[in-house]
C-alpha cells in the first residue's frame, strides 16, 4: 500500500507529541487526588508537591505539571470571565487635548448614540459623524485643525496633514492605547494571583477578554480591572459656595419634584445632614439616600438651576464611609472646568503601604515628572485650602494643603483596611489605563456547578462512546473493531492537540468531541457500506476493501469539507462557547480524516496483506438494506405537502408566538440560584417583579424558570440594562437577596448568597451581557448563518457543477432551519428546559446545517456517480437507485448520531439540553430533507419536462422497463 510508512511515522510522532502534552495533566490530577486523600496532613502535602517523577525524556513535578496541564473552561472548573471595553471617547478626548469645539462635541455625542446599534468600530463611526456635522454646520474644519487633532498630543500631525493621513495616525494611536490597556490589565491579573488566566484582545475592537478559572470574588475582579488608576487632584468648593444652590433645589423640589424623579415632599436639606458634616465635603448623606440625592443633582431641572460659579462643578462621593459615621457617605463639590480636565492628572511611578503618626494605614506615592510639576503648582495655589485626591471619580481624601509640595510625593489616607490598601497599591503599581474601562459582558460559574458540569459531561461522553462501540461492532463485526480503535486514537489526538495548542476545553467542546465521534462513525459507515457492495458484486475481500476505500473517498472528503466550512464560520463569527465548540469540531474533522481514512486503511490492509480475513458484517446485519428499494421520487409530492404544512405552521408560530430570546441577543442579566428546598418559579417571579421597578415606577422584565431540579431557578432580567457599572450589579444582587431571603436558609447572608460556596445555596452562576455586545452577537449570528448557507451553495456548485444541486441543498437547509425555529417558537413556553434563541442556538443551527449537507452530499455523490456511469435509463429511476443504495449509510449514521445526542440530552446537564434538543430535531429532519427536499428539488429542476416518469428498480430491471 502506497504511503503506508509515512502514515505510520506521522501517527507515531503525533502520538508521542500528544503523550508528552497530556502527561502533565495526568500527573497534576494524580497528585491532587493524593493531596485530597492526605486530609490536611501538611507534611504529606508538602512532600507530594515537591515529589519529582523521572521519565527519562522529561521530569515532572507538581508546580510544572500544574502550569502545563490542560486548561478547563469556566463551565467545567468554575471561575470568572469578563469582557472589558476601553472607553474610546476618552481616548479621542485625550488626543484632542480635551477640546471643547462644538463640532467635535456633537460628533462625539452622535457617535455614542450610533455605537449602541453599530458593529463598526467607534473611531470609524466618529469620523463619519464628524464629516456629517462639519458639513451640516458649514464649519469646514480639517482633522488637523489645532482644535481637533493638531495639538501637542499628536506632534506628527502638521497643519497641512490631510484628513486621510490624520485618520490613519489616530487609528494607530488608539490601537496602541488599547494595547497599553491590555498590558496593564494583564499585569493586574498577575497581581490577583489567578491560575492559568487567559487574556486576549478581541480583534478589530477596543475590547479585552479576561478569563480566570477558579476565581471566586467577581466584585473584586471587576473593581480591579475597571479601575483606571488615573489619579487626579482637584480644587474643591466648600459648603459656603454651594449652600445657596442647595436651598434653591429644596424649594424647587416642592414644586417640580416629579420632573426630578422624586416625590415633592422630599426635604433635600434633611437628606444632606449638614449638621453631621465634619470634613471639607458639602454633605453627609445616609447610604440609603445616596440614590435619591444622585437623582436630584443629575436631573435636567437641577442642571438648569446651577449658578455661574457652579456651571462646571462635579459632585463626587467619598471612597467609603468615615470611621466616625459608618452609615453615611460624604459628598464633595469638585471645582471643574469647561473640559473637565483635572489640574493634576499624572501617573504614579511607585506606591507602597505605610502608616501615619496614629498608626493608620495609608498609601505613599511618588508621581511621575509631569504629575510632580502639576502637583507643585496646585499646592502652591491652594495653601490653607483643601484639595481632593480622586481615583475613578471617588474622593479618597481631601486634606488641607499646608505648603507647596515640590517633589511629587504625596499620601492617600482613606480609612483603609490592610487589604484595601494592598488592592490600591496593586492597581497603582500596575500602571494606569489610557482611558476608562467598563465590563460589557461577564460570566461567573461557581466551582460546585463546574464540578457538576464535568460529571455530567463525562457521563454523557462515556455513555455516547459506549453506544457507538456497541453499535458499530454489532453492525460491522471485525471491521467495527478497527473503527473503534481508530476512534480512540482520534480522541487521544484531539485532547493532545488541544493541550499542545493551549486551547481551553469547555462543555460545548466536549459536545463537539461527541459529535466528532459520530462523524468518525459516519466515515467508517461510508467505507464499509461501499466495501459490502463490492463484496456482493463478487470481489475478493482485498479488492472489496481497496475499491470500498477508493469509491468512498470523494463522499468522505465532500462531507468533511462542508462540516469544516461550517466549523470555520462558527469560529470566526461566534463568541465564547460557540468558538470552543467550533475549535473542537475543526480539530476533529482533520483528525477524523487522518485516523478513520488514512490510519484505518493502513491497519486494515496490514491485516489483509498477511492473508487474514476481516468481516464487514455480522449475521443479523449482513443483508440489512441489501435489496431495499423505495420509489422516493414518486412519493416526493406527498413529502412536499408534509413539508409545506410543517413550514407554514412554523412560520405562523414564528410571526405570532415569537421566541424567547436569551440575554446574549437582548442584553440583560441571568442568575442561576440554588435553594435548599423545592421552590415555585411563578411565586418567585411574583416576588421579584415588585423589586425590579424603574424610576418611573414601571416593572422591568423579569422571567423565572426552573433550571434542572425544582430547587434551582434561572432568573433573567433587563433591570438597569443600560447600566454596566459594578454598582448596578451590586444593586441587582441586593434586590435578589432581599426578595428571596424568606426562601433561603435562616442564617444566609448577602455574601453567602452572592457566591454559593458555603452550604451550596445562592447564586451558582451569573451572566451579564450589555446591549452593545448583545447587538454584536445577534448580528454575528445572522452573518454566520448567511455565510454558511452561501459557502455551502458555492461549494456544492463547484463540486457538482450543476446549480440544481446547489438549489436543492440550500432549500433543504432552509427547510431544516425553519422547522427548528418553528419548534422553538411552538414549545418554548411548555418544555421543562431552556429553549432560548441565543448564540448556543446559532451554533446548533449551523451544526445541523453542516450535518444535513453532509447527508445530502453522500446522496448527490452517488447520483453523480450513476449519471457518469449511466446506470439508469430514466432520471427518476437513477435518483431512486442512488438514494436506495445509500439507505444503509443514512440509517446507520442518523441512528447512531441520534442515540449519541439523546445520551447528551439526558445525561449532559442542564446547560446543554436546549442545544441538544435543536440537534435532535435538526438531525432527524436533516436526514428527511436530504432525500425528500434536496434530492427531489434537484430532480425537478434537472428533468427536461418531456421525460415520462418511469419508476422501478432500473439498475436491475432494464429489460422490464424497455418492454414498457
Amino acid at each position: 500500500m502506497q504511503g503506508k510508512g509515512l502514515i505510520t511515522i506521522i501517527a507515531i510522532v503525533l502520538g508521542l507529541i500528544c503523550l508528552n502534552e497530556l502527561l502533565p495533566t495526568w500527573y497534576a490530577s494524580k497528585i491532587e487526588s493524593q493531596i485530597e486523600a492526605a486530609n490536611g496532613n501538611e507534611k504529606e502535602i508538602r512532600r507530594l508537591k515537591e515529589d519529582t517523577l523521572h521519565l527519562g525524556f522529561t521530569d515532572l513535578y507538581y508546580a510544572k505539571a500544574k502550569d502545563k496541564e490542560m486548561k478547563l473552561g469556566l463551565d467545567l472548573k468554575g471561575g470568572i470571565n469578563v469582557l472589558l471595553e476601553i472607553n474610546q471617547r476618552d481616548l479621542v478626548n485625550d488626543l484632542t487635548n480635551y477640546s471643547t469645539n462644538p463640532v467635535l462635541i456633537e460628533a462625539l455625542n452622535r457617535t455614542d448614540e450610533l455605537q449602541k446599534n453599530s458593529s463598526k468600530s467607534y473611531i470609524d463611526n466618529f469620523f463619519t459623524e464628524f464629516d456629517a456635522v462639519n458639513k451640516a454646520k458649514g464649519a469646514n474644519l480639517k482633522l488637523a485643525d489645532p482644535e481637533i487633532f493638531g495639538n501637542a498630543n499628536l506632534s506628527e500631525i502638521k497643519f497641512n496633514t490631510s484628513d486621510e493621513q490624520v485618520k490613519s495616525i489616530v487609528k494607530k494611536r488608539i490601537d496602541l492605547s488599547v494595547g497599553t490597556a491590555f498590558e496593564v490589565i494583564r499585569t493586574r491579573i498577575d497581581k490577583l494571583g489567578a491560575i492559568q488566566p487567559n487574556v486576549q484582545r478581541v480583534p478589530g475592537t477596543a475590547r479585552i477578554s479576561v478569563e480566570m478559572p477558579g476565581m471566586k470574588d467577581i466584585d473584586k475582579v471587576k473593581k480591579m480591572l475597571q479601575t483606571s488608576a488615573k489619579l487626579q487632584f482637584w480644587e474643591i468648593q466648600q459648603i459656603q459656595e454651594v449652600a445657596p444652590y442647595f436651598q434653591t433645589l429644596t424649594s424647587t423640589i416642592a414644586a417640580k419634584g416629579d420632573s426630578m424623579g422624586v416625590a415633592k415632599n422630599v426635604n433635600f436639606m434633611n437628606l444632606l445632614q449638614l449638621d453631621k458634616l465634619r470634613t471639607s465635603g458639602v454633605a453627609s448623606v445616609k447610604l440609603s439616600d445616596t440614590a435619591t440625592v444622585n437623582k436630584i443633582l443629575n436631573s435636567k431641572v437641577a442642571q438648569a438651576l446651577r449658578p455661574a460659579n457652579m456651571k462646571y462643578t462635579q459632585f463626587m462621593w467619598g471612597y467609603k464611609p468615615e470611621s466616625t459615621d459608618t452609615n453615611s457617605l460624604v459628598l464633595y463639590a469638585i471645582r471643574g472646568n469647561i473640559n473637565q480636565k483635572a489640574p493634576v492628572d499624572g501617573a504614579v511611578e511607585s506606591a507602597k503601604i505605610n502608616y501615619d503618626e496614629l498608626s493608620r494605614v495609608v498609601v505613599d506615592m511618588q508621581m511621575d515628572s509631569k504629575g510632580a510639576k502639576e502637583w507643585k503648582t496646585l499646592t502652591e495655589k491652594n495653601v490653607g485650602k483643601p484639595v481632593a485626591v480622586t481615583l475613578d471619580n471617588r474622593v479618597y481624601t481631601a486634606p488641607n494643603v499646608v505648603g507647596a509640595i515640590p517633589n511629587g510625593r504625596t499620601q492617600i489616607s482613606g480609612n483603609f483596611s490592610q487589604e484595601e490598601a494592598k488592592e490600591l497599591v496593586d492597581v497603582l503599581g500596575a500602571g494606569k489605563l489610557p482611558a476608562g474601562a467598563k465590563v460589557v459582558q461577564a460570566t461567573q460559574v461557581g466551582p460546585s456547578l463546574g464540578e457538576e458540569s464535568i460529571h455530567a459531561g463525562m457521563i454523557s461522553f462515556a455513555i455516547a462512546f459506549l453506544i457507538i462501540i456497541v453499535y458499530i461492532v454489532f453492525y460491522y463485526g471485525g471491521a467495527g473493531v478497527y473503527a473503534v480503535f481508530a476512534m480512540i486514537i482520534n480522541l487521544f489526538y484531539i485532547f493532545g492537540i488541544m493541550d499542545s495548542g493551549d486551547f481551553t476545553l469547555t462543555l460545548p467542546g466536549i459536545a463537539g468531541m461527541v459529535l466528532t465521534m459520530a462523524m468518525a462513525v459516519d466515515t467508517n459507515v461510508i467505507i464499509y457500506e461501499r466495501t459490502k457492495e463490492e463484496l456482493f458484486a463478487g470481489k475478493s475481500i482485498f479488492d472489496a476493501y481497496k475499491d470500498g476505500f477508493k469509491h468512498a473517498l470523494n463522499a468522505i472528503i465532500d462531507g468533511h469539507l462542508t462540516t469544516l466550512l461550517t466549523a470555520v464560520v462558527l469560529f470566526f463569527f461566534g463568541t465564547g462557547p460557540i468558538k470552543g465548540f467550533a475549535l473542537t469540531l475543526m480539530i476533529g474533522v482533520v483528525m477524523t480524516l487522518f485516523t478513520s481514512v488514512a490510519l484505518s486503511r493502513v491497519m486494515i490492509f496490514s491485516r489483509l496483506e498477511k492473508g487474514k480475513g476481516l468481516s464487514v458484517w455480522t449475521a443479523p446485519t449482513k443483508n440489512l438494506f441489501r435489496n431495499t428499494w423505495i420509489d422516493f421520487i414518486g412519493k416526493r409530492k406527498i413529502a412536499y405537502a408534509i413539508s409545506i404544512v410543517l413550514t407554514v405552521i412554523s412560520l405562523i408560530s414564528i410571526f405570532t408566538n415569537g421566541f424567547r430570546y436569551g440575554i446574549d441577543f437582548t442584553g440583560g442579566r441571568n442568575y442561576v440560584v440554588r435553594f435548599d428546598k423545592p421552590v415555585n418559579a411563578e411565586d418567585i417571579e411574583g416576588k421579584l417583579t415588585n423589586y425590579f421597578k424603574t424610576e418611573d415606577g414601571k416593572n422591568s422584565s423579569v422571567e423565572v424558570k426552573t433550571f434542572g431540579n425544582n430547587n434551582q431557578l434561572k432568573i433573567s432580567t433587563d433591570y438597569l440594562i443600560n447600566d454596566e457599572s459594578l454598582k448596578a450589579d451590586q444593586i441587582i444582587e441586593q434586590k435578589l437577596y432581599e426578595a428571596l431571603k424568606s426562601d433561603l436558609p435562616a442564617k444566609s447572608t448577602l455574601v453567602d448568597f452572592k457566591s454559593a460556596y458555603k452550604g451550596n445555596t445562592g447564586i451558582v452562576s451569573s451572566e451579564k451581557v450589555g446591549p452593545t455586545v448583545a447587538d454584536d452577537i445577534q448580528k454575528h449570528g445572522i452573518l454566520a448563518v448567511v455565510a454558511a448557507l452561501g459557502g455551502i451553495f458555492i461549494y456544492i456548485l463547484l463540486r457538482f457543477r450543476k446549480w440544481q444541486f446547489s438549489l436543492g441543498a440550500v432549500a433543504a437547509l432552509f427547510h431544516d432551519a425553519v422547522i427548528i425555529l418553528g419548534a422553538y417558537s411552538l414549545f418554548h413556553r411548555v418544555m421543562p428546559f431552556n429553549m432560548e434563541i441565543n448564540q448556543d442556538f446559532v451554533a446548533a443551527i449551523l451544526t445541523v446545517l453542516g450535518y444535513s449537507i453532509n447527508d445530502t452530499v453522500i446522496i448527490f455523490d452517488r447520483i453523480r456517480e450513476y449519471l457518469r456511469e449511466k446506470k439508469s435509463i430514466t432520471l427518476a429511476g437513477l435518483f431512486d437507485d442512488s438514494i436506495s443504495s445509500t439507505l444503509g449509510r443514512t440509517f446507520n449514521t442518523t441512528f447512531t448520531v441520534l442515540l449519541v445526542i439523546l445520551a447528551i440530552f439526558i445525561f449532559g446537564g442542564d446547560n446543554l439540553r436546549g442545544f441538544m434538543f435543536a440537534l435532535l430535531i435538526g438531525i432527524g429532519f436533516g436526514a428527511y430533507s436530504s432525500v425528500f427536499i434536496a434530492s427531489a428539488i434537484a430532480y425537478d429542476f434537472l428533468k427536461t419536462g418531456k421525460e415520462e416518469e418511469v419508476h422501478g428498480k432500473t439498475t436491475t430491471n432494464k429489460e422490464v422497463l424497455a418492454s414498457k
Side-chain angles (χ1 to χ4, degrees), residues 3-195:
K4 177 181 176 180
L6 179 61
I7 292 169
T8 304
I9 290 170
I10 292 172
I12 293 171
V13 171
L14 192 57
L16 290 173
I17 292 171
C18 291
L19 181 65
N20 182 61
E21 293 295 333
L22 291 171
L23 272 174
T25 302
W26 165 79
Y27 186 72
S29 178
K30 174 176 173 286
I31 295 296
E32 284 170 0
S33 296
Q34 292 174 343
I35 288 172
E36 190 175 342
N39 287 323
N41 185 329
E42 291 297 329
K43 185 177 179 181
E44 177 64 11
I45 291 172
R46 197 179 311 113
R47 185 193 69 78
L48 287 167
K49 288 186 175 181
E50 292 173 357
D51 190 35
T52 302
L53 179 65
H54 301 284
L55 296 173
F57 60 93
T58 186
D59 291 336
L60 283 177
Y61 52 91
Y62 178 70
K64 177 183 177 182
K66 191 67 182 172
D67 185 56
K68 293 186 68 177
E69 73 174 345
M70 178 175 283
K71 289 183 178 179
L72 297 180
L74 301 189
D75 48 7
L76 295 178
K77 193 173 183 178
I80 296 165
N81 177 278
V82 295
L83 185 63
L84 283 170
E85 185 167 72
I86 306 302
N87 190 324
Q88 292 184 80
R89 177 166 183 155
D90 285 357
L91 295 176
V92 173
N93 277 330
D94 185 60
L95 292 176
T96 61
N97 202 23
Y98 293 87
S99 170
T100 56
N101 183 282
V103 172
L104 175 70
I105 299 300
E106 186 175 338
L108 285 169
N109 291 338
R110 286 171 62 164
T111 305
D112 289 344
E113 285 300 312
L114 181 64
Q115 201 64 19
K116 293 177 182 178
N117 297 299
S118 174
S119 55
K120 285 186 177 181
S121 70
Y122 185 95
I123 194 62
D124 283 333
N125 281 331
F126 166 74
F127 287 137
T128 301
E129 293 304 309
F130 180 84
D131 291 341
V133 175
N134 198 17
K135 185 177 180 181
K137 290 183 176 292
N140 296 320
L141 279 169
K142 288 184 63 182
L143 291 174
D145 191 283
E147 289 190 61
I148 311 300
F149 292 111
N151 58 72
N153 287 344
L154 287 167
S155 57
E156 59 264 57
I157 295 177
K158 310 300 180 186
F159 73 94
N160 59 347
T161 305
S162 70
D163 280 358
E164 289 305 313
Q165 289 174 313
V166 172
K167 289 177 182 179
S168 176
I169 292 168
V170 170
K171 284 181 180 180
K172 285 179 183 176
R173 286 292 291 270
I174 285 180
D175 189 62
L176 284 172
S177 296
V178 176
T180 300
F182 172 75
E183 294 301 329
V184 171
I185 293 295
R186 195 159 60 178
T187 304
R188 290 182 185 178
I189 288 167
D190 289 341
K191 291 180 180 292
L192 279 168
I195 298 171

Side-chain angles (χ1 to χ4, degrees), residues 643 646 812 815-817 819-820 844 847-849 851-852 855-856 890-891 893-899 901-902 916-933:
S643 291
L646 291 175
H815 166 273
D816 298 341
I819 296 297
I820 298 172
T847 303
V848 167
L849 298 187
Y851 192 87
S852 179
D855 230 9
T856 302
T890 301
F891 173 82
T893 303
T894 304
F895 181 67
T896 310
V897 173
L898 286 176
L899 282 178
I901 293 170
L902 195 60
M916 287 299 149
F917 184 72
L919 292 186
L920 276 173
I921 300 170
I923 297 301
F925 274 97
Y928 161 85
S929 67
S930 295
V931 174
F932 288 108
I933 304 298

Side-chain angles (χ1 to χ4, degrees), residues 316-327:
M316 294 186 191
W317 296 102
Y319 160 67
K320 64 184 289 188
E322 298 289 319
S323 57
T324 53
D325 185 0
T326 57
N327 293 317

